[in-house]
Amino acid sequence: MGTEFDKEYYKKERKADWRDKLRKEIKSKDRTEGVRVHMPEADPNVRNKSNIEVNKGLTLEMAMSESSRCLDCAVPTCVSGCPVGTNIPKFVKYIEKGDILGAAKVLKENNSLPAICGRVCPQEIQCEIECVYVKKLSKEGSAIGYLERFAADYERESGNSSIPELAESNGIKMAVIGSGPAGLTVAGELAKFGYDVTVFEALHDLGGVLKYGIPEFRLPKKIVDFEINTIKQMGVKFITNFIVGKTATIEDLKEEGFKAFFIASGAGLPNFMNIPGENFNGIQSANEFLTRVNLMNGDDANFDTPVHTGKNVVIVGGGNTAMDSVRTAKRMGAERAIIVYRRSQEEMPARAEEIKHAIEEGIEFMNLTSPIEYFADENGMVNKMRAQKMQLGEPDASGRRRPEVIEGSEHDIDVDSVVIAVGVSPNPIIQQSMPELETTKWNTIKVDDNMMTSVPGLFAGGDIVRGGATVILAMGDGRDAAQGMHKYIQSTILAEV
Amino acid sequence: MFKIIEKEFLSENVARLSIEAPYIAKSRKAGNFIILRIDEKGERIPLTIADANTEKGTIYVIVQRVGVSSHKLCDMNVGDTILDVVGPLGTATHIANVGTVLCAGGGVGVAPLFPIVQAMKLAGNRVITVIAARTKELVILENEMREYSDELIIMTDDGSLGEKGLVTLGMEKVIQREKVNEAVVIGPAIMMKFAALTTKKYDIPTVASLNTIMVDGTGMCGACRVSVGGKTEFVCVSGPEFDAHQVNFDEMLSRLNAYKTKESSGYSDYLKSLKPVLN
C-alpha cells in the first residue's frame, strides 16, 4: 500500500518559516515524551441501545496537545501510507499552531471527504503505521486519523467551510457513475480542473456505501451530506434514480455531450455461502440488513420499510461489514448478537477499533466456527444454524493461516435471524450493457495505469475495479482517475481545438 | 419527482397509472420493471412496466391494493408526484418468432403479461392468451389483450365471465388442441407453479416472471433471491424471467411471506389511521 510521493515537495513545504519556528518551540525529546491521545467514546451500555456516534471526537486542547507529538520529520514517511497523498505534517502543524481552519484547508487540497476519512479510514495500517513513532521509537503513532476528523469537524461546525479553488470552467461535460467515495472524489477533482461534472446515482439518495452501508453510529449521515454539499457548491450536478446502462446507456450520454466517463458502480452484489437452507426467511445479506436500516430507516416505526431482526442474531463474517451488522442488530434489541467467523480474531479483516468497540458493546464472538446448514420452523423462518469448529493450518495465498475443519465438531446454535457478511462481488449492470468492456474472471473491470478501461474515454475505479476494498482506496482511485481523465481530454478534445 | 399523468381503476382495487418518466419510457423493453418510492418514508417497491408512450414520455404501471404502499399509490391522483422512480430494471424478455406462444396471466399478473403479449405478436408469433381472475369484475386488460392476441380465452373461478375454471384448464385445452412452441406464465406464485406443472407435462418451454420482494432492484441486497435449477439467482438482475420448469416455487412462496406479519400489522395500522377520528 502507499503512493509514490514527491519528497522534494514535502521538504520545501517543511522549510516554511512558520514550520521552522514551530519545530524549535518544543524540543523533539520533549515531544516524544507525550502520550498518544485517547478518543473519547460514548458509554458502551448507552450507545449499544441508540444510534449516537460512538467516537465523540477530540477537544481543541486534546488535538493541539496530540499535534505537538508530531516531530515534523524531514522525510514524512506517514504520507507514503496515504492513498490520496494528504500533506499530513502540514495539516498537523497547522493544528499545533492553533489555525484549525488552515489545517482543514490543507486536508481539502487532496481529499474531498476529510470528515469521512477521519472516521472510517484504517489509519492504523496506513499513515499511522508509517509514523516515525511506530517505525523507529516503538511507540504509538501520531493520532493522524483523530486529528483529521478534528480539523474537518471544527471547520464544519465553525460555519466557515472553505471551497477548494477551481480552475476556470472549460464547459467540457464529464459523467461520473455512482456517488460513493470513488465517484465523489473524481467529481470533486474534475470540478477543480474546471470540468462540467454530472454524477449519476442509481439509488434515491447520494453517498453510495457511505449511506446504505456504514451505520449512523460510525458515520453520521449529516456528515456525509455536508461533504456532498461541498462538492455541489463546487458546481457538480447530481442526478439520483438514474442507472447508467439501464435508464440510459453510455452511448446515449455521449449523444448528450459527455466526453469521458468514470464508472464507480461499486461491489454491490452480496456473496452467499451456498449451503443448505440459506434461502430460508430470516437469513439475509449484510447489504440487505444494513440497507433496510441505514438507507430505508427500517428500524424506525415511522417508516414503511420492514426489517427482520431477532433475539438471537448471528452474523457470519469477520470484516467491517460484519461488525457494522452485529452492532446494528444489538442496537435493535438482540439479546445475543454473535459473530461467527471461521478464523481467529487475529485474522479478522475488521479494523481493530471496530472489534474493540463491538466487544465493549457486548457482542459475542464464536471464532473458528463455520456454518454448514440452516434449519427452519414450519413457516420457513430460520431457527437453527448447524456449524462446525475449525482450526488454523498452514498459511494460504492471503498469508493468513488456512482454516481447517475439525471432524466431528458439528453443533447447533439457536438463531432467529442470520446476516451473511462474507464479502461482495462487483455490480454487473454496466458490464452487461457493454460487452466490449474487458473484465477479469472476478467480473471486475480492467483498467490501465491511468485508470482507463479497454474502452477509450471510459475510466473506472473503486470496488468495481478492486472487488471489495476500503473507502480510502476508492478515493485514491478517484484521484488517479481524475488525473487520467484530464490527460485524456487534453490529448484528445483539447488537442483538436 | 415523477408526475402522475393519468389514472383509472381497472377493477375496484386495481389502478392503472401513467407516470412521467421520459428516459424510462424510451429505454424500457417488455419484461422490464421499475422501483418506486412514494415519499420520504416510503418503501421501495417493484412494479412491472405495463406499457409506455415514448411521445408523451410516460410509462404505465398497474397496481393492486394489497399493502401500505400499494394502497397509497391507488389513492394518488393525476397531478400528484411520486418521489422516486428508477428503471427500467431487470433483463428484458427474450422475444423471437418461435411459432405459437401461449401466454397465461392470473389476477394482476395480467398486467406484466401485456407487454410480452404485445411484443410476441409484433415479432410475428401466433399468440394465444389465457387470462384468469376470481370473478368478472377482477378481469383486467381484456380489450388490450384481445387487440394483440390471435385468440383470447378468459377464465373465471365462478364462471361469471368466459369459461368457469382455473387458468390451467384454459391452457390445457389449447395445448391439447394445437402445437404450442413456447409458454409465458405470469401471476401469483401459486398460479405460476401449477401453470408450469401443466406445460411441463407437455414439454413446452416455459418462462415465468417472478415478483419477489426487492429493496434496491440492482443486485445489491439479495432479498429477491430464488432457487432456479438448484442455483440461487437474483431476480432483479438475472430475472425477472426464468425457466418456469426450473424455479423452486415452494421456496419462492415461502420467501414472499418473509415480512407478512410486519406487513399486515403495518397495513392494519395504516388503515386505522385513515379512518376519521371521532371526537
Side-chain angles (χ1 to χ4, degrees), chain A residues 60-240:
Chain A
L60 178 62
E61 292 71 29
M62 285 170 153
M64 288 181 68
S65 146
E66 176 62 30
S67 63
S68 72
R69 282 180 73 225
C70 169
L71 301 177
D72 200 5
C73 304
V75 179
T77 45
C78 51
V79 178
S80 69
C82 178
V84 297
T86 297
N87 192 339
I88 294 168
K90 190 176 177 187
F91 101 79
V92 171
K93 290 299 123 180
Y94 264 115
I95 296 180
E96 184 180 339
K97 192 160 80 110
D99 182 357
I100 316 298
L101 294 178
K105 225 170 180 172
V106 173
L107 285 169
K108 283 189 182 168
E109 284 171 12
N110 289 301
N111 184 340
S112 328
L113 315 166
I116 295 170
C117 287
R119 285 170 167 79
V120 303
C121 270
Q123 291 96 5
E124 65 280 3
I125 57 164
Q126 295 182 159
C127 49
E128 293 178 11
I129 204 173
E130 300 292 339
C131 173
V132 68
Y133 277 95
V134 176
K135 287 177 85 95
K136 298 274 169 65
L137 305 174
S138 301
K139 290 188 174 193
E140 286 190 287
S142 184
I144 300 164
Y146 295 170
L147 292 174
E148 178 179 30
R149 168 184 164 153
F150 172 77
D153 285 358
Y154 183 96
E155 187 198 41
R156 184 182 64 255
E157 284 157 15
S158 75
N160 290 312
S161 206
S162 66
I163 306 283
E165 242 174 77
L166 308 179
E168 201 186 325
S169 166
N170 61 21
I172 297 172
K173 284 170 85 175
M174 303 287 250
V176 176
I177 301 160
S179 67
L184 290 174
T185 302
V186 164
E189 295 301 313
L190 291 175
K192 284 186 202 168
F193 287 132
Y195 291 102
D196 176 3
V197 187
T198 305
V199 179
F200 297 93
E201 167 57 48
L203 290 171
H204 58 257
D205 200 3
L206 299 172
V209 70
L210 304 170
K211 280 280 179 63
Y212 73 75
I214 304 177
E216 181 77 13
F217 57 81
R218 205 150 74 80
L219 180 62
K221 289 191 183 73
K222 66 165 199 217
I223 289 176
V224 181
D225 283 332
F226 185 88
E227 308 249 46
I228 292 173
N229 204 36
T230 305
I231 297 172
K232 279 185 190 164
Q233 286 172 5
M234 291 163 70
V236 173
K237 287 167 259 183
F238 288 88
I239 300 180
T240 53

Side-chain angles (χ1 to χ4, degrees), chain A residues 309-347:
Chain A
T309 182
K311 295 288 171 211
N312 294 310
V313 186
V314 161
I315 281 75
V316 183
N320 287 321
T321 308
M323 295 304 143
D324 287 343
S325 303
V326 77
R327 295 168 73 196
T328 299
K330 185 77 185 173
R331 281 159 173 76
M332 290 177 68
E335 283 161 15
R336 295 185 72 191
I338 309 165
I339 286 281
V340 165
Y341 179 56
R342 65 194 183 126
R343 304 187 203 235
S344 73
Q345 194 169 312
E346 218 170 285
E347 288 82 23

Side-chain angles (χ1 to χ4, degrees), chain B residues 73-185:
Chain B
L73 210 50
C74 285
D75 283 350
M76 291 179 89
N77 293 308
V78 171
D80 289 347
T81 54
I82 295 167
L83 186 58
D84 300 297
V85 176
V86 66
L89 296 162
T91 309
T93 311
H94 178 70
I95 302 288
N97 189 342
V98 292
T100 300
V101 182
L102 174 61
C103 296
V108 79
V110 169
L113 187 65
F114 174 67
I116 300 173
V117 165
Q118 198 179 29
M120 285 293 187
K121 183 67 203 165
L122 295 174
N125 291 290
R126 170 171 161 80
V127 178
I128 303 168
T129 305
V130 183
I131 59 176
R134 272 204 329 275
T135 186
K136 186 182 165 187
E137 284 73 33
L138 301 178
V139 173
I140 60 169
L141 303 181
E142 184 187 339
N143 295 334
E144 288 86 344
M145 286 296 197
R146 204 177 294 282
E147 191 186 338
Y148 288 97
S149 306
D150 292 275
E151 184 185 348
L152 177 70
I153 298 167
I154 298 172
M155 305 293 299
T156 48
D157 292 4
D158 60 3
S160 53
L161 186 67
E163 287 179 55
K164 185 175 158 80
L166 297 173
V167 71
T168 42
L169 185 72
M171 290 170 70
E172 202 141 11
K173 267 191 178 171
V174 176
I175 296 168
Q176 282 169 357
R177 186 187 71 197
E178 63 182 288
K179 168 83 182 155
V180 172
N181 301 90
E182 194 180 309
V184 180
V185 298

